[in-house]
Amino acid sequence: MRVVVLGAGLSGLAAACHLVGDGHDVTVLERDDVVGGRAGLLHLGDFRIDPGPVVMTMPELLHRPLRAAGVADPEAYAPMRRLDPAYRAVFDDGSELSVRADMADLREEVRRLSGPADAASFDRFLDWLEELHDVEFDTFIDRNIDSPLDLVRSPVTAARLLRLGGLGALGPKVASFFDDERLHKIFGFQSLYAGVAPASARAVFAVITYMDTVRGVFYPDGGMHAVPRAMARALDEAGVPVHLGVEAAEVLRRADGAVAGVRTADGERVAADAVVCTLDLPVAYDRLLPGVTAPRAARRGEFSPSAVVWHVGANGAPGPHLGHHNIHFGAEWDGAFEALIDRRELMPDPSRLVTVPSVTDPTAAPEGSSTLYVLEPVPHLGSRLDWSREAGPMRERLHAFLEAGGYPSDVVEERLVTPQDWADQGLHLGTPFALAHTFGQSGPFRPSNVDRRVPGLVFAGSGTTPGVGVPMVLVSGRLAAERVQDYAGAARPSRRPAGRPARMAR
């Protein structure tokens, strides 16, 4: 089957790898001049920047598409090192916790910070995380789900999930293990990746804590862009063209509504029996599917908060107290999330992430300098904030924060990315985190990766199943390829002659 993949981000490249492994004839179209999507590459002077995701977990989920594309040794294509610590957590009272790679070392960190009672509870917490992952991943994340009925087809699994408290609130569940509120923060903040405050997120999202804490955080050699670059290399060696600088303008359909191909912004038509679309879901319907109404969740759903990211190249090497990933927790917690998510205001006492890749990788910055990635969660564009006015004060607050935290702050190069910039990149409401993972927008209730009105059209990426984050979008690529395979098996013979599809003339 001839398949066109729209977008050479993580989900699109993963889908293409699995599709070529299934024997399909694949072409990838990417509007930017580099692969990776949000995991692309940014150079500011001599500083190398990862402009999107900076936390890599579950590298085996990258190995799967590489193997599907014929790579015998995936680790050689994308070498990674496990970070130890995964995070340096800094609390409002000045105390710190290192999230160590070895669980015995992490238990001792918990003992040092919070005392023997919480250290004893740490083992029970790890057991709970392990069992939750074992119950949840294969059944609810790593497979296509067509309806809520799919969740009850394995009653034993569903019963285990309920017994583990997976559908209860995450914040109280974490608090049931630990007395120290600082531990509630470091083991519960991960729900914000899914766009939901810990107090209201379902406990199933502790699977992200499991990925971070138990399975570990990794750094690919050369930065996060090495991840899409590895898949693009595998596709190139498999003979799959990845056309850069080509923007899709419309998914073409036959008279019966089924996919016929893609029209590019230059007016060229590329024939296809199926299309995998990785654009942000509301944008995909608006731009590529005239006359097809987006699902209700994509039109009127609850979207995750956004983030301001300040990319900085600074004079001065990172000090020995800094980690690769540094999380600074404000004193406000539930109140800060209420402001951010419920009232769509700036957090009154923000928590922030500072990633300093030059701690691990000196090639990310010139000698004696540092590359920094400073992230603060902010409301999406559904708020009243005017980022043409807010950007300057935000930059000054972040600069003062770096100075106070002992980070290199003699700025040489910089770029501030606001929700408006994310929107300009084609992300609905200016959030890179897509639909929030509320109960009604997760699992079988999340917009499907197929639209029955357009046979042969399949979606991948953070807006569809299974959701947000590097592991999830890599899985989404495989699930999309599985949908294409199912469609190929069910589709009637093509009306067009067999053979390779029309190639892009470039």
Side-chain angles (χ1 to χ4, degrees):
M1 180 170 279
R2 296 169 291 190
V3 187
V4 170
V5 177
L6 301 181
L10 299 182
S11 64
L13 292 170
C17 286
H18 286 287
L19 287 164
V20 75
D22 289 335
H24 298 289
D25 196 346
V26 183
T27 298
V28 182
L29 308 182
E30 168 56 51
R31 70 172 185 175
D32 291 334
D33 59 4
V34 65
V35 300
R38 272 162 270 172
L41 187 61
L42 173 65
H43 285 283
L44 296 178
D46 294 327
F47 296 87
R48 190 186 69 237
I49 307 288
D50 284 319
V54 292
V55 178
M56 180 72 198
T57 61
M58 306 283 280
E60 63 270 27
L61 296 179
L62 170 63
H63 298 165
R64 286 161 60 172
L66 291 176
R67 286 196 181 94
V71 175
D73 184 6
E75 292 185 10
Y77 270 56
M80 300 185 192
R81 68 193 86 176
R82 184 167 180 175
L83 298 178
D84 187 12
Y87 298 100
R88 164 183 169 251
V90 182
F91 301 98
D92 64 284
D93 62 0
S95 61
E96 296 189 11
L97 173 84
S98 291
V99 180
R100 299 294 306 278
D102 183 271
M103 294 300 98
D105 292 339
L106 180 52
R107 184 189 306 108
E108 288 309 305
E109 276 288 292
V110 170
R111 184 188 307 277
R112 178 190 60 78
L113 180 75
S114 307
D118 277 344
S121 295
F122 180 71
D123 289 332
R124 290 192 299 109
F125 180 63
L126 287 184
D127 290 343
W128 177 72
L129 288 178
E130 290 272 10
E131 188 173 2
L132 186 70
H133 172 267
D134 291 346
V135 169
E136 184 181 350
F137 192 82
D138 290 342
T139 304
F140 304 117
I141 294 175
D142 200 32
R143 61 183 288 239
N144 282 307
I145 298 174
D146 291 309
S147 83
L149 293 176
D150 289 346
L151 301 182
V152 298
R153 287 177 183 154
S154 178
V156 173
T157 301
R160 287 180 66 196
L161 186 65
L162 290 172
R163 178 179 57 78
L164 290 167
L167 298 183
L170 174 63
K173 185 64 180 180
V174 173
S176 72
F177 291 99
F178 305 111
D179 293 328
D180 192 332
E181 292 186 0
R182 293 171 295 183
L183 299 181
H184 305 171
K185 294 178 180 180
I186 191 59
F187 295 130
F189 82 91
Q190 292 87 349
S191 71
L192 192 59
Y193 293 153
V196 188
S200 55
R202 297 304 93 193
V204 291
F205 290 110
V207 71
I208 309 175
T209 307
Y210 169 85
M211 293 174 180
D212 271 6
T213 304
V214 180
R215 300 298 288 272
V217 174
F218 292 78
Y219 179 75
D221 288 358
M224 286 295 293
H225 185 59
V227 174
R229 195 167 62 240
M231 289 188 284
R233 175 186 169 191
L235 289 170
D236 180 66
E237 293 174 356
V240 174
V242 178
H243 297 284
L244 302 177
V246 179
E247 184 172 2
E250 183 181 357
V251 173
L252 302 173
R253 288 172 283 158
R254 302 197 304 250
D256 62 0
V259 162
V262 173
R263 178 175 61 82
T264 72
D266 293 336
E268 189 162 1
R269 292 172 177 248
V270 185
D273 303 296
V275 168
V276 176
C277 178
T278 69
L279 278 71
D280 202 18
L281 214 57
V283 176
Y285 278 92
D286 181 56
R287 296 183 182 177
L288 305 182
L289 292 162
V292 182
T293 305
R296 185 181 184 281
R299 288 180 286 115
R300 302 176 59 185
E302 182 177 341
F303 279 74
S304 299
S306 183
V308 163
V309 178
W310 191 29
H311 301 295
V312 175
N315 285 325
H321 67 293
L322 299 181
H324 186 111
H325 296 299
N326 307 266
I327 304 177
H328 294 257
F329 292 103
E332 286 277 347
W333 193 238
D334 291 340
F337 289 120
E338 288 171 7
L340 175 67
I341 296 173
D342 298 339
R343 300 195 301 274
R344 296 179 185 170
E345 300 170 354
L346 294 176
M347 300 172 89
D349 183 17
S351 297
R352 297 176 173 123
L353 167 70
V354 184
T355 292
V356 191
S358 44
V359 165
T360 304
D361 181 2
T363 68
E367 186 176 356
S369 302
S370 299
T371 296
L372 300 95
Y373 170 110
V374 189
L375 181 149
E376 179 176 324
V378 299
H380 59 56
L381 292 180
S383 73
R384 299 193 197 99
L385 295 172
D386 179 355
W387 284 102
S388 66
R389 296 182 178 182
E390 296 285 348
M394 172 65 75
R395 187 263 184 206
E396 295 309 309
R397 288 194 298 273
L398 294 178
H399 188 251
F401 159 74
L402 289 183
E403 288 184 316
Y407 292 91
S409 55
D410 179 11
V411 177
V412 178
E413 302 281 353
E414 63 180 301
R415 178 173 297 179
L416 188 77
V417 180
T418 72
Q420 186 57 58
D421 296 309
W422 294 120
D424 293 342
Q425 294 179 34
L427 299 174
H428 185 62
L429 289 178
T431 174
F433 306 113
L435 281 165
H437 280 271
T438 61
F439 180 79
Q441 296 180 169
S442 301
F445 308 111
R446 200 162 182 82
S448 175
N449 56 1
V450 290
D451 190 322
R452 306 296 180 188
R453 298 168 297 176
V454 189
L457 175 65
V458 181
F459 295 103
S462 56
T464 184
T465 185
V468 179
V470 172
M472 302 303 186
V473 297
L474 289 172
V475 170
S476 83
R478 187 190 66 77
L479 297 181
E482 184 179 290
R483 292 291 197 184
V484 172
Q485 186 75 347
D486 291 344
Y487 179 66
R492 46 185 193 223
S494 173
R495 298 176 184 173
R496 292 175 295 278
R500 299 184 70 82
R503 292 303 188 198
M504 300 296 300
R506 301 194 65 77

